[in-house]
């Protein structure tokens, strides 16, 4: 079985993340790291590989050159190879363009199952896996909390508004996982050493079958406004009317 795991490099959530004036992500404002939710998706693939020898796990990412660091970590965790779609023409790509490019890359590399995180920590849209499944013409099982993957099917539990739902699909398929699905393993010393010998294949737009009309049309950010500074609160000193002042504050803030 060939499992392809979608990987994305995102700004470190422990640092201040910024949007540049042109509406694109300011990659210099925070360190880039592999998105944790993608590492959990990779753990699902690696767990299946551990129990089923002969399984091939391939990482797929779209992004600038520094994205290679996120792919390298995935290789250290145990993935067999990686595919990196990098092209300056994709800078600032929206969800539609991203889905088309990744779907074209998947068609070029081949797959039996595609695993993704349910939503990235930078964009948070959560729609790319569904778009990819639509473009590839295969089933989608989205936001699975628990996953059972076999040689010919995938099943899992998904949280719904009024409870949980058990869903299943035959392969090939696309499915995404939540933070409840798996706890990502840490790269060990052997994995770090062997990762240096693993293949990272670079792809350019010219080598993919992406419709030109998709590349020409793009969502555009018209303006960017920084988060306003937090106002300094007032300190109430009890001089006999602190209770009344506190009550007035709660009422004015609609807290009571």
């Amino acid at each position: 079985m060939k499992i392809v795991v979608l990987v994305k490099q995102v700004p470190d959530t422990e640092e201040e993340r910024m949007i540049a004036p042109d509406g694109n992500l300011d990659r210099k404002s925070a360190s880039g790291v592999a998105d944790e939710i993608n590492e959990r998706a990779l753990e699902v693939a690696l767990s299946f590989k551990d129990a089923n020898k002969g399984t091939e796990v391939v990482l797929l990412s779209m992004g600038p050159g520094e994205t290679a660091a996120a792919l390298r970590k995935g290789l250290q965790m145990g993935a067999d190879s990686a595919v990196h779609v990098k092209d300056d023409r994709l800078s600032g790509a929206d969800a539609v363009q991203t889905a088309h490019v990744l779907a074209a890359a998947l068609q070029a590399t081949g797959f039996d199952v595609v695993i993704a995180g349910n939503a990235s920590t930078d964009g948070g849209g959560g729609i790319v896996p569904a778009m990819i499944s639509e473009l590839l013409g295969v089933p989608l099982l989205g936001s699975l909390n628990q996953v059972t993957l076999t040689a010919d099917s995938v099943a899992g539990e998904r949280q719904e508004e009024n409870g949980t739902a058990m869903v299943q699909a035959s392969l090939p398929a696309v499915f995404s996982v939540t933070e409840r699905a798996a706890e990502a393993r840490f790269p060990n010393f052997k994995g770090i050493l062997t990762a240096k010998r693993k293949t990272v294949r670079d792809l350019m737009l010219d080598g993919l079958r992406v419709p030109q009309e998709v590349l020409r049309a793009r969502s555009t950010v018209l303006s960017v406004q920084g988060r306003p500074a937090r106002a300094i609160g007032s300190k109430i000193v009890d001089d006999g009317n602190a209770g009344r002042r506190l009550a007035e504050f709660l009422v004015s803030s609609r807290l009571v």
Side-chain angles (χ1 to χ4, degrees), residues 29 31-32 42-43 74 76 111 121 141 157 208-209 228 237 255:
S29 64
S31 303
L42 176 57
E43 179 60 36
Q76 292 172 352
F111 66 94
T121 56
L141 276 64
E157 177 186 283
L208 300 174
R209 302 178 61 181
V237 178
L255 298 176

Side-chain angles (χ1 to χ4, degrees), residues 36-52:
E36 181 185 351
I37 193 64
N38 300 147
E39 294 182 351
R40 292 176 181 270
L42 176 57
E43 179 60 36
V44 173
L46 294 177
S47 296
F48 181 85
K49 178 185 176 182
D50 291 342
N52 299 271

Side-chain angles (χ1 to χ4, degrees), residues 52-111:
N52 299 271
K53 303 306 178 184
T55 301
E56 180 184 6
V57 178
V58 180
L59 308 174
L60 172 61
S61 185
M62 184 187 102
E66 53 264 33
T67 302
L71 293 174
R72 187 60 58 186
K73 182 178 181 181
L75 295 175
Q76 292 172 352
M77 291 172 63
D80 298 294
S81 62
V83 177
H84 184 185
V85 181
K86 57 179 181 179
D87 195 305
D88 291 341
R89 290 171 289 180
L90 294 173
S91 177
D94 58 17
V96 174
Q97 290 176 330
T98 299
H100 272 273
V101 172
L102 291 177
L106 287 165
Q107 289 173 328
T109 59
F111 66 94

Side-chain angles (χ1 to χ4, degrees), residues 5 7-9 32-35 39 42 46 58-61 64-84 86 185-202:
V5 180
V7 175
K8 186 178 184 182
Q9 188 184 56
V33 296
D35 201 338
E39 294 182 351
L42 176 57
L46 294 177
V58 180
L59 308 174
L60 172 61
S61 185
E66 53 264 33
T67 302
L71 293 174
R72 187 60 58 186
K73 182 178 181 181
L75 295 175
Q76 292 172 352
M77 291 172 63
D80 298 294
S81 62
V83 177
H84 184 185
K86 57 179 181 179
R185 65 188 67 183
F186 288 100
N188 56 34
F189 184 69
K190 180 181 178 181
I192 293 173
L193 290 179
T194 58
K196 298 178 181 179
R197 301 191 297 268
K198 294 178 180 178
T199 302
V200 178
R201 177 187 175 192
D202 292 337

Side-chain angles (χ1 to χ4, degrees), residues 58-173:
V58 180
L59 308 174
L60 172 61
S61 185
M62 184 187 102
E66 53 264 33
T67 302
L71 293 174
R72 187 60 58 186
K73 182 178 181 181
L75 295 175
Q76 292 172 352
M77 291 172 63
D80 298 294
S81 62
V83 177
H84 184 185
V85 181
K86 57 179 181 179
D87 195 305
D88 291 341
R89 290 171 289 180
L90 294 173
S91 177
D94 58 17
V96 174
Q97 290 176 330
T98 299
H100 272 273
V101 172
L102 291 177
L106 287 165
Q107 289 173 328
T109 59
F111 66 94
D112 292 304
V113 61
V114 180
I115 311 178
N118 63 327
S120 63
T121 56
D122 55 353
I127 57 177
V128 170
M131 290 179 170
I132 291 175
S133 71
E134 177 71 19
L135 292 169
L136 295 176
V138 299
L140 167 74
L141 276 64
S143 299
L144 299 182
N145 293 330
Q146 298 179 7
V147 182
T148 301
L149 181 62
T150 68
D152 53 13
S153 68
V154 57
E157 177 186 283
R158 180 171 60 206
Q159 187 68 39
E160 302 285 350
E161 184 177 355
N162 298 315
T164 58
M166 299 302 298
V167 292
Q168 181 176 354
S170 299
L171 301 186

